[in-house]
Amino acid sequence: MAEQESISMEVTKRSLLFWAFRGNLRLQLLLLALIAVLVVARVVPLEMQKRIVNEAIFLRRFDDLLLYCGIYLLAVTITGGTKLWINFLQATIGERALLAMRRTLYRHILSLPLHFFRSTQPGMVVSSLMTELASAGSFAGMALAVPVANVLTLLAFAGYLLWLNPQLGLLTLAIYPLVVFLIPYLQKKANRLNKQRVDQSRQVAGQITESITGINEINVHGGYFAEQGKFNRLVERLRSIRLRWMLFRFSIKTVNNYFVSLGPFVVFIFGGYLVMNGRLELGSMVAFLSAQEKLYDPWKELIEYYQSYQDASIRYRRTMQTFDRRPEVPLDDWQQAPLAIKGRLILRDVGYRTAEGKELLRRVSFSLEPGQHLALVGFSGSGKSTLVQCVAKMFAYTSGSIQLDGREVKALSKAEIIQQLGYISQNPFIFSGSIRENLLYAQRAARHAVAGTPQGEEDPSLDQLILSLQQAGFFVDVVRFGLETRLELSTEAIRARVVAIRNRFRANFGERLAEYIEFYDHQACLHHASILENIIFATSTDPAFATTRLPEDPRFRAFLVAHGLVAPLLHLGLILAKGSVEYHLAKAGKPDGEPSVAPGESTGHEPPTPMKAQELVAYTALLHRLDEAGLDQLAAEDRDCLLRLALAYTPAIHTVCAMPAELEGHILIWRDAWKVWSRRKLPGVFTYLRRDAPIFDQSVLNNILFGRIKSGPRAPQEKISQAIIHLLIEEDCLEDVAAAGMEYPVGNMGDKLSGGQRQKLAIARVLLKEPVLILMDEATSALDNASQTRIQRLIQERWKGRRTVISVVHRLDTIRGYDAIGVLKGGELMEYGGYEELLERKGGLHELVGGHR
């Protein structure tokens, strides 16, 4: 552990070769052994070629021919197998080195000061870890094997050439010193451009990250062309740099190939002269040509190795230089005993100056006894958030003193105070994953920081999780998420409970909520379900028979034909197509900003037609063809379009036309026919909707409702949720549903949650941790009035006297209950005292309250 921490602290100082050997020494030794075998196996075929020509063929010895060819084949096989193992070991070493680099550097990055990230684009960090280090990892795998293998091979081939004919060998090898001087010169030029390429690539990655992160601002302000202009300038410069860089890289290869091609020329001229004069055997010349040709391979690999080293070392140095900062949270002091504190806080002349020299705090002094609450107020930019972040040890204050229970905060390690500190920001970060994982995040981190924490210690109980959610006002939301999860009907007891809750819901709330819910009824046509759903009145767990795919299924089409449904559905599709085309044309013709409500259009969020706006052109053309040909003569493709439109029609939502009376009358007949037909043709595929049976592939909510919520405002959904929660409590199922809701995936950085839900989750996260010192930076700014009142009551009734609280407050009507109020302006504490006391002074607080009123 200590060795790992030491490496983490010095990661930016390590050389690239360090990673090639750290933890890979045994693999490197195995590589050397395989390389020795490879070199021998590469030279043997050359000697066999000479003997095959000079001894076997020339002297007509067939036994020698078989022997030499067998040795040749064996050597080639050993070469191929050995090369495969060498490549695999290189890849293994490279991936292990890359993994170690990424792990250690990522650990180092997380511990860097926060001000580093304020001037560093996230895209640059991502690019450095995932792209720039990749070439370094690849090089680490070849750091030993490639130069050793190819240098030994070159020496072996060169020695063999000199052994065959010293004069011809020396003349051939004399070419290579020229290359040794010329290629490094070209490589220096390429290296300079490569550094520029790496830097410019980072700028492009940073620009992309900034644009994607700020896509809301770009969208609302129409900044498309400005961002495109920035991107165009950056990628244009990158293109220019890359072209010049590749020119030098290609020049290196061209020069190398040219000089290597001179080798056979020398062999043909001088070697041919020696053969014609009897000074060199023909077999020796064949072997010489083969050796000369093979001499190119190790030389080429050495050139590529040199280029890879230059590219990898530049990227590696650039990456390490970027993150060569002293960690603010050294991880070698992690897992220390937590600091047992009561919450007494004293600030004396605290100041904070940024690295650029801007002074954000000046001579701030006050004290809080354990359990006291302080509200910080002031105009924007007055230093409220900065002060809280200094207390939280997020920023290191540059002057003065902050003492927690008599100990200097700056001198405390993060591990000592992490368990006793809770911080809630105005824009809390929610990690990708489930609600449960985010809820446990702070508590698990605090537990990890404690020395001697038992491995595998259990998380807080479900009751504790629920309590923190209730206190933060997030519990009802979590229950709603749980109601939307698919029901797990693993046992008969669970299935019976679902049906029992459904029956109680219908009995207790059916009449009261009938105006909001259309309950399933086998003997009635459902107006809030599509024609297709009305006909099948069933669900299927097989994706092939989902309602979105069923209209295309040939077996379902056969049912429509067999029971005479095609003609009435085509007629309905025609009416819908005409009404939908009219609607979309009318909507498209409205001026910008005019409400898009056509005659008969519903006021809910659903469009009044099953036809999408992008299908307007296709259906308009279809109607033109229909005028010319008639419904019976339409092509099969057009008939399919009308059928799909009719089957998707939901009478209560798609108000571009009314439900034909004759069609409604036939729905029940078709429903019974489908039940008989599908049981015979598709046994076991569909589960038919029954009041006394659960719906296996539907959510908990749908199972309890056994119906559809009618479209309309949110108020009915609130009433329905309250009724269901009431029943879940009575049936002792509320905790099970809440547990399912906690597994709800919050999306990328919590984008599936509203701003208020994210703040509630952040508050619950800190409540579960139960810290002694709680810092709130406008932690309720995104909450509605009722939720803010709940949190305020929690602060005043449950935390007073038990937890020390510093809260940056944006609503001045909530600060009466605080023990003290601090008014900041321009980084200085203008006033400090009780609410009534400060108002009587008619100073800064009086000015703020007056402006607020």
Side-chain angles (χ1 to χ4, degrees):
M1 182 68 181
E3 180 186 357
Q4 292 178 351
E5 298 297 347
S6 175
I7 292 172
S8 176
M9 290 291 293
E10 302 173 9
V11 57
T12 58
K13 306 296 184 184
R14 297 291 183 182
S15 69
L16 180 54
L17 292 176
F18 166 81
W19 303 101
F21 294 94
R22 175 181 173 264
N24 296 312
L25 186 58
R26 291 183 180 180
L27 292 180
Q28 296 286 17
L29 292 175
L30 179 58
L31 265 179
L32 291 177
L34 290 173
I35 287 170
V37 175
L38 177 66
V39 171
V40 174
R42 277 180 166 180
V43 176
V44 169
L46 300 177
E47 178 65 18
M48 292 304 103
Q49 289 181 33
K50 186 191 79 172
R51 295 192 180 192
I52 287 171
V53 173
N54 290 343
E55 299 178 17
I57 296 177
F58 187 75
L59 299 178
R60 301 178 183 275
R61 296 176 181 173
F62 186 69
D63 291 341
D64 288 347
L65 179 63
L66 291 178
L67 175 63
Y68 296 148
C69 286
I71 296 173
Y72 181 94
L73 180 61
L74 178 62
V76 170
T77 303
I78 292 174
T79 300
T82 306
K83 187 67 175 175
L84 174 63
W85 275 106
I86 289 174
N87 289 336
F88 178 73
L89 286 176
Q90 284 181 213
T92 301
I93 293 171
E95 289 301 315
R96 290 176 64 170
L98 179 59
L99 178 63
M101 276 188 278
R102 282 176 173 164
R103 279 180 173 175
T104 315
L105 183 58
Y106 185 66
R107 186 186 183 96
H108 174 77
I109 291 172
L110 291 180
S111 66
L112 293 179
L114 289 181
H115 63 75
F116 169 80
F117 298 98
R118 299 196 185 279
S119 59
T120 303
Q121 289 283 0
M124 189 277 292
V125 179
V126 174
S127 175
S128 297
L129 278 170
M130 301 309 299
T131 304
E132 307 299 345
L133 285 184
S135 60
S138 298
F139 174 78
M142 65 173 69
L144 177 67
V146 171
V148 171
N150 288 289
V151 167
L152 290 179
T153 302
L154 270 176
L155 293 175
F157 284 170
Y160 184 71
L161 290 176
L162 293 172
W163 179 71
L164 287 173
N165 190 289
Q167 291 178 313
L168 184 57
L170 286 173
L171 187 61
T172 303
L173 295 174
I175 298 172
Y176 290 95
L178 298 175
V179 187
V180 171
F181 289 104
L182 184 56
I183 287 183
Y185 170 78
L186 295 174
Q187 187 65 53
K188 286 181 181 179
K189 300 285 188 180
N191 289 348
R192 188 178 304 112
L193 288 168
N194 195 22
K195 291 177 182 177
Q196 297 177 25
R197 180 186 67 85
V198 171
D199 292 341
Q200 191 67 17
S201 296
R202 287 182 175 180
Q203 288 189 40
V204 173
Q207 175 61 36
I208 295 171
T209 303
E210 182 180 90
S211 297
I212 298 304
T213 305
I215 192 66
N216 289 339
E217 294 297 316
I218 295 172
N219 186 285
V220 75
H221 295 299
Y224 310 107
F225 299 106
E227 295 304 314
Q228 184 67 55
K230 294 179 191 176
F231 181 77
N232 289 349
R233 288 189 292 273
L234 290 173
V235 293
E236 176 63 27
R237 174 165 170 73
L238 179 62
R239 179 194 66 84
S240 174
I241 293 172
R242 284 181 60 85
L243 282 176
R244 285 180 285 154
W245 172 63
M246 286 188 285
L247 175 62
F248 279 101
R249 292 194 70 188
F250 295 150
S251 298
I252 293 170
K253 290 184 178 180
T254 301
V255 169
N256 181 57
N257 291 340
Y258 176 76
F259 279 105
V260 168
S261 299
L262 289 179
F265 171 77
V266 173
V267 174
F268 285 133
I269 290 290
F270 189 61
Y273 171 79
L274 294 177
V275 171
M276 286 187 290
N277 287 274
R279 296 166 58 185
L280 182 69
E281 295 175 333
L282 182 60
S284 297
M285 184 172 177
V286 172
F288 211 101
L289 283 170
S290 296
Q292 175 66 45
E293 181 182 356
K294 291 182 180 298
L295 195 65
Y296 171 70
D297 292 335
W299 180 255
K300 176 185 175 183
E301 289 190 28
L302 282 173
I303 296 297
E304 291 176 351
Y305 170 82
Y306 180 68
Q307 289 182 320
S308 297
Y309 168 70
Q310 294 295 332
D311 183 42
S313 62
I314 289 171
R315 289 170 178 252
Y316 179 79
R317 284 197 300 270
R318 275 285 193 267
T319 298
M320 294 307 175
Q321 287 169 2
T322 300
F323 303 110
D324 190 15
R325 306 285 192 280
R326 183 176 181 81
E328 193 170 69
V329 186
L331 298 182
D332 55 355
D333 64 358
W334 208 247
Q335 291 194 335
Q336 294 182 0
L339 182 65
I341 66 172
K342 296 180 179 179
R344 187 167 186 265
L345 195 64
I346 300 176
L347 281 74
R348 295 192 183 96
D349 297 326
V350 174
Y352 177 72
R353 188 184 296 270
T354 66
E356 295 78 20
K358 185 176 181 180
E359 194 172 27
L360 300 181
L361 292 175
R362 290 190 297 274
R363 300 183 300 278
V364 176
S365 301
F366 63 82
S367 63
L368 286 176
E369 293 302 317
Q372 284 191 325
H373 294 180
L374 166 66
L376 293 177
V377 299
F379 294 105
S380 178
S382 59
K384 305 183 297 297
S385 297
T386 303
L387 179 58
V388 168
Q389 289 165 342
C390 285
V391 175
K393 203 175 166 60
M394 297 169 68
F395 292 128
Y397 45 97
T398 53
S399 62
S401 168
I402 300 179
Q403 291 188 352
L404 185 60
D405 282 14
R407 295 187 61 183
E408 191 68 28
V409 168
K410 189 183 293 186
L412 295 173
S413 70
K414 202 76 170 179
E416 287 179 295
I417 66 171
I418 196 68
Q419 200 170 40
Q420 308 294 353
L421 177 68
Y423 175 78
I424 310 167
S425 70
Q426 180 179 3
N427 299 301
F429 191 88
I430 303 301
F431 296 91
S432 301
S434 67
I435 289 175
R436 178 186 175 87
E437 289 169 339
N438 274 278
L439 184 60
L440 289 167
Y441 185 85
Q443 199 273 344
R444 285 175 172 172
R447 195 172 69 217
H448 180 78
V450 178
T453 299
Q455 293 295 322
E457 181 180 329
E458 293 184 1
D459 289 323
S461 67
L462 180 60
D463 289 341
Q464 290 174 290
L465 299 179
I466 290 176
L467 178 60
S468 65
L469 292 171
Q470 288 175 331
Q471 291 177 338
F474 194 41
F475 181 66
V476 174
D477 298 88
V478 171
V479 171
R480 287 189 187 127
F481 293 141
L483 289 172
E484 293 297 334
T485 58
R486 181 168 291 189
L487 192 63
E488 182 62 43
L489 301 169
S490 56
T491 66
E492 186 64 37
I494 294 178
R495 292 193 283 270
R497 289 174 72 185
V498 169
V499 174
I501 295 175
R502 175 192 299 169
N503 291 334
R504 290 192 61 185
F505 179 81
R506 183 74 68 92
N508 296 348
F509 304 102
E511 292 185 9
R512 193 187 316 171
L513 299 175
E515 61 177 307
Y516 307 129
I517 303 172
E518 182 179 48
F519 294 104
Y520 291 144
D521 185 350
H522 187 271
Q523 299 301 320
C525 176
L526 305 174
H527 287 258
H528 285 266
S530 68
I531 296 296
L532 175 61
E533 292 167 329
N534 264 288
I535 292 173
I536 65 174
F537 203 68
T539 61
S540 175
T541 55
D542 189 341
F545 295 97
T547 53
T548 54
R549 301 178 65 179
L550 197 57
E552 312 298 331
D553 188 84
R555 287 159 292 191
F556 180 73
R557 290 294 185 91
F559 165 78
L560 298 181
V561 172
H563 291 81
L565 276 72
V566 175
L569 289 177
L570 285 175
H571 181 67
L572 174 61
L574 176 59
I575 297 173
L576 284 167
K578 290 179 178 178
S580 300
V581 168
E582 272 183 43
Y583 163 77
H584 283 296
L585 286 175
K587 187 174 181 180
K590 292 174 184 175
D592 292 341
E594 189 175 323
S596 301
V597 181
E601 183 175 348
S602 64
T603 58
H605 296 293
E606 292 284 348
T609 166
M611 193 185 95
K612 299 176 182 177
Q614 56 265 36
E615 297 175 322
L616 174 61
V617 175
Y619 275 98
T620 302
L622 187 154
L623 291 177
H624 283 309
R625 290 193 294 271
L626 187 62
D627 290 338
E628 298 174 359
L631 190 59
D632 294 336
Q633 298 178 353
L634 275 180
E637 184 178 334
D638 289 340
R639 291 165 65 88
D640 289 346
C641 288
L642 293 178
L643 279 175
R644 284 197 300 270
L645 202 63
L647 290 169
Y649 171 62
T650 302
I653 297 174
H654 302 141
T655 54
V656 291
C657 77
M659 175 79 159
E662 65 277 9
L663 188 64
E664 185 169 358
H666 284 84
I667 287 287
L668 299 182
I669 298 173
W670 294 341
R671 183 181 293 169
D672 291 334
W674 166 258
K675 189 173 184 179
V676 174
W677 188 89
S678 60
R679 279 179 172 172
R680 186 176 70 253
K681 299 289 187 178
L682 301 167
V685 172
F686 290 93
T687 302
Y688 306 96
L689 302 180
R690 290 168 39 201
R691 176 83 177 270
D692 60 347
I695 311 173
F696 285 84
D697 66 331
Q698 296 290 308
S699 68
V700 178
L701 178 63
N702 288 352
N703 265 276
I704 294 174
L705 293 180
F706 197 65
R708 292 288 179 88
I709 297 177
K710 298 178 181 179
S711 58
R714 184 174 175 81
Q717 296 180 358
E718 296 286 347
K719 293 180 180 179
I720 292 168
S721 296
Q722 291 172 8
I724 291 177
I725 290 175
H726 177 74
L727 285 178
L728 292 174
I729 294 173
E730 289 184 352
E731 292 291 330
D732 197 23
C733 293
L734 187 61
E735 289 187 354
D736 296 330
V737 175
M742 289 183 204
E743 302 306 322
Y744 176 76
V746 299
N748 182 32
M749 295 186 292
D751 63 356
K752 289 186 179 181
L753 303 178
S754 68
Q757 288 173 332
R758 288 196 289 269
Q759 278 199 333
K760 290 176 185 177
L761 179 53
I763 293 170
R765 181 162 62 191
V766 170
L767 291 176
L768 184 66
K769 184 179 175 182
E770 297 185 335
V772 175
L773 176 61
I774 298 179
L775 307 172
M776 304 176 68
D777 187 3
E778 297 193 30
T780 61
S781 58
L783 301 184
D784 54 49
N785 290 336
S787 298
Q788 287 198 27
T789 302
R790 174 195 290 270
I791 299 302
Q792 198 62 36
R793 188 166 57 247
L794 174 70
I795 294 173
Q796 294 176 0
E797 295 179 2
R798 298 184 63 86
W799 292 357
K800 186 66 70 71
R802 299 175 58 194
R803 308 190 192 287
T804 303
V805 176
I806 299 180
S807 178
V808 176
V809 180
H810 69 287
R811 282 186 52 179
L812 297 179
D813 58 337
T814 65
I815 63 177
R816 286 179 177 270
Y818 284 85
D819 298 300
I821 298 166
V823 183
L824 281 89
K825 184 177 182 180
E828 295 189 49
L829 188 63
M830 291 177 56
E831 295 179 331
Y832 186 84
Y835 181 79
E836 298 297 339
E837 173 192 350
L838 295 184
L839 282 183
E840 289 177 3
R841 292 184 192 175
K842 296 190 177 182
L845 181 62
H846 185 272
E847 179 185 352
L848 287 170
V849 172
H852 180 70
R853 289 173 180 170

